């Protein structure tokens, strides 16, 4: 792409690489690696023996995914809200740059940074395991990445719709509701998942076919819908500037 199309992407990356934004993400890999190693050590010495290696692997990867989803959603709400409402962004619209890149540039920048942190986090978990599990670990990794993408998309939507703090509170509540859908006590009609993201259901049904695939597809639709709506609201906002 030409420089004028990557202007907002490059500027967003510079902002995201500052300590206040990337700092919390960098704590995830070492924390999860220590947790997985400690659990494996305790299990090997007979202190905890109720989980198989496969169960511990799935649990560790999903723990990392949920923590990253929470942080990414909150940080995305704060970042997008602060950026699109800033005087710098409003003034930049007068520059000879592609206005639509003002949406896609920051979005792709946040998604890129979060994706790198996801790879580091998952890599730390896998490296901490004593041996590979006898199941498709790549399937679990792919499924656990979907909530992370959903968090960034939801952060972009809430960043346009409301303030960073209000968006963060709403996102946290929505993520909690989505997690509760996977608990055995949750007996909800299927149509409710058009509103509540089935994050918990992907965790519990991820390795089952076709239930896991269906839940993953629903969350992908959630992400796509809020991303399209975010882009639409962004276009409306441009006309008012």
């Amino acid at each position: 792409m030409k420089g004028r199309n990557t202007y907002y992407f490059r500027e967003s990356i510079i902002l995201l690489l500052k300590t206040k934004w990337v700092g919390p993400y960098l704590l995830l890999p070492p924390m999860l690696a220590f947790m997985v190693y400690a659990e494996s050590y305790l299990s090997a010495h007979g202190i905890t023996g109720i989980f198989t290696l496969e169960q511990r692997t799935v649990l560790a990867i999903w723990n990392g995914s949920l923590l990253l989803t929470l942080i990414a959603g909150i940080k995305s709400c704060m970042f997008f809200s602060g950026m699109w409402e800033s005087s710098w962004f409003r003034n930049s619209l007068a520059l000879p740059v592609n206005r639509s890149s003002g949406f896609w540039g920051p979005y792709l920048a946040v998604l890129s940074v979060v994706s790198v942190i996801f790879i580091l986090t998952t890599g730390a978990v896998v490296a901490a395991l004593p041996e590979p599990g006898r199941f498709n670990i790549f399937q679990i990794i792919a499924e656990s990445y979907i909530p992370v993408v959903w968090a960034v998309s939801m952060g972009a939507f809430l960043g346009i719709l409301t303030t960073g703090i209000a968006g963060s509170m709403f996102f946290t509540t929505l993520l909690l509701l989505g997690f509760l859908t996977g608990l055995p006590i949750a007996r909800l009609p299927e149509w409710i998942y058009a509103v509540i993201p089935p994050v918990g259901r992907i965790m519990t049904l991820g390795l089952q076919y076709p239930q896991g695939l269906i839940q993953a597809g629903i969350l992908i639709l959630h992400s796509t819908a809020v991303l399209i709506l975010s882009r639409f609201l962004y276009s409306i906002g441009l006309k008012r500037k």
Side-chain angles (χ1 to χ4, degrees):
M1 291 188 296
K2 296 181 179 180
R4 72 188 192 94
N5 292 331
T6 60
Y7 171 76
Y8 289 107
F9 178 82
R10 288 182 281 109
E11 292 297 320
S12 299
I13 287 292
I14 293 174
L15 291 175
L16 289 168
L17 292 181
K18 292 183 178 179
T19 304
K20 71 173 184 177
W21 291 108
V22 78
Y25 292 118
L26 298 180
L27 296 176
L28 286 174
M31 289 175 60
L32 285 171
F34 174 77
M35 289 171 60
V36 174
Y37 176 80
E39 186 180 59
S40 300
Y41 178 85
L42 293 175
S43 178
H45 288 76
I47 299 176
T48 59
I50 60 175
F51 294 112
T52 64
L53 176 60
E54 175 181 332
Q55 291 171 328
R56 294 202 310 271
T57 303
V58 173
L59 181 62
I61 292 176
W62 272 108
N63 281 341
S65 174
L66 285 174
L67 285 174
L68 181 55
T69 297
L70 176 63
I71 296 175
I74 294 174
K75 282 291 186 180
S76 295
C77 290
M78 302 295 291
F79 178 79
F80 289 124
S81 177
M83 181 176 189
W84 286 329
E85 290 297 324
S86 66
S87 58
W88 165 81
F89 181 79
R90 289 193 295 269
N91 293 334
S92 71
L93 295 176
L95 298 174
V97 295
N98 190 334
R99 284 196 164 196
S100 64
S101 67
F103 176 84
W104 295 112
Y107 175 80
L108 292 177
V110 173
L111 185 61
S112 298
V113 171
V114 173
S115 297
V116 171
I117 300 300
F118 176 82
I119 294 173
L120 294 175
T121 301
T122 305
V125 170
V126 175
L129 295 171
E131 60 184 75
R134 297 179 180 179
F135 65 100
N136 191 350
I137 191 171
F138 296 104
Q139 178 183 345
I140 293 298
I141 292 176
E143 290 176 346
S144 62
Y145 179 66
I146 297 174
V148 177
V149 178
W150 167 79
V152 177
S153 299
M154 184 60 68
F157 171 67
L158 294 174
I160 291 179
L161 193 63
T162 183
T163 64
I165 295 177
S168 299
M169 294 175 63
F170 181 86
F171 173 82
T172 303
T173 302
L174 188 61
L175 178 61
L176 177 61
L177 291 175
F179 174 77
L180 293 178
T181 61
L183 297 181
I185 59 174
R187 295 291 184 267
L188 302 174
E190 291 296 324
W191 62 264
I192 201 69
Y193 301 111
V195 180
I196 300 177
V199 177
R201 302 252 292 186
I202 296 181
M203 292 180 61
T204 56
L205 301 174
L207 290 176
Q208 300 181 26
Y209 181 84
Q211 293 90 338
L213 184 61
I214 292 174
Q215 301 306 317
I218 292 175
L219 193 55
I220 290 175
L221 290 177
H222 268 262
S223 302
T224 304
V226 296
L227 187 59
I228 293 175
L229 186 56
S230 301
R231 180 63 180 85
F232 176 72
L233 293 176
Y234 173 81
S235 299
I236 295 177
L238 283 182
K239 296 178 181 179
R240 297 178 178 178
K241 293 185 184 295

